[in-house]
Amino acid sequence: MLLAEVAQATQRLADAGVPSPRNDAEELAAFVHGVKRSQLHSVKDADFDARYWEVVARREQREPLQHITGRAYFRYLELQVGPGVFVPRPETESVVGWAIDAVRAMDVAEPCVVDLCTGSGAIALALAQEVPRSRVHAVELSEEALVWTRKNMAGSRVDLRQGDALTAFPDLDGQVDLVISNPPYIPLTEWEYVAPEARDYDPEMALFSGEDGLDLIRGIERTAHRLLRPGGVVVIEHADTQGGQVPWIFTEERGWADAADHPDLNNRPRFATARKALP
């Protein structure tokens, strides 16, 4: 068994400041030895692969676990990720869960969903998978990110386009049931406080958005209003420090109702929702 090696790697990763050292040490051991984490006990001492210490060293340098293994897990999906694309985070799973419940609750046979700033495609693919009759559209601007998006969406029924989230899908104006986005929302002033895994490896385009972090969210508010049918819903992720600010962007004066904020699994403010007001 790999117990001694995994324990040693866990300590090394903890000393390097990695947030989840045991999890990462086990994931890397499973990756190198070609088994699932639950099967690590089946690897014999004689089969230990010394390349394990190479990947542990990379993780010690705070290279993201997902870049080393080339995969990220999101709800029921396994996605391919690497340099140039934002690695999906567990917090976003609760955002998508809310959106799926909202779409299922709509009295719409084939709900139309738009994912703005799709990145790896995690959100769009999860909605397509878990709401089988939905028509899902997604847009991404970055050519580097799209390399990964296209890999993940190969064979899926998601309509993927390259373009700017603020001008995307003019052909869908007024027809969309739900708009969802995990946009960049970190204030430029917070750069030094961002975890090295994100700051040094995720694309800047996917992280930062103006002095207060809300520049793109303000633009997406207008895009969502343009795309949604009356009564349609927008769901937008934000930083846990922005809970008091984002719902105020979706005001009655701008054509919204029921703007609210919602917590993630750690009970931190994580995403805002609003409904396009009826005429």
Side-chain angles (χ1 to χ4, degrees), residues 64 66-67 70-72 79-89 117-123 139-153 160 182 197-198 200-207:
Q66 297 87 349
H67 281 201
R71 62 193 180 207
L79 301 162
Q80 297 183 61
V81 294
V85 71
F86 181 78
V87 174
R89 306 296 202 264
C117 313
T118 195
S120 67
I123 291 175
V139 66
E140 173 57 49
L141 182 60
S142 163
E143 193 61 63
E144 292 81 13
L146 278 163
V147 170
W148 300 99
T149 328
R150 291 183 180 119
K151 286 181 183 179
N152 290 323
M153 290 191 177
L160 173 64
N182 178 16
E197 287 87 346
D200 300 339
Y201 292 95
D202 278 326
E204 280 193 21
M205 184 194 289
L207 298 177

Side-chain angles (χ1 to χ4, degrees), residues 144-268:
E144 292 81 13
L146 278 163
V147 170
W148 300 99
T149 328
R150 291 183 180 119
K151 286 181 183 179
N152 290 323
M153 290 191 177
S156 82
R157 55 189 182 77
V158 177
D159 165 33
L160 173 64
R161 307 185 199 179
Q162 179 173 14
D164 187 329
L166 302 186
T167 55
F169 304 112
D171 50 314
L172 297 177
D173 284 358
Q175 302 171 51
V176 178
D177 297 294
L178 181 132
V179 170
I180 185 167
S181 183
N182 178 16
Y185 50 66
I186 300 174
L188 288 167
T189 51
E190 299 286 309
W191 188 88
E192 63 192 282
Y193 305 112
V194 177
E197 287 87 346
R199 187 187 64 217
D200 300 339
Y201 292 95
D202 278 326
E204 280 193 21
M205 184 194 289
L207 298 177
F208 300 101
S209 188
E211 288 299 309
D212 63 358
L214 299 175
D215 281 6
L216 193 58
I217 290 179
R218 293 188 188 95
I220 285 175
E221 178 269 326
R222 287 292 84 196
T223 302
H225 197 272
R226 166 173 63 81
L227 290 171
L228 289 169
R229 62 166 172 81
V233 176
V234 60
V235 189
I236 194 155
E237 183 171 332
H238 57 68
D240 54 10
T241 55
Q242 295 167 334
Q245 300 165 273
V246 177
W248 288 101
I249 293 172
F250 296 84
T251 60
E252 288 182 21
E253 293 77 19
R254 297 179 77 85
W256 298 98
D258 305 330
D261 216 55
H262 305 263
D264 61 18
L265 297 175
N266 296 314
N267 218 31
R268 296 191 183 111

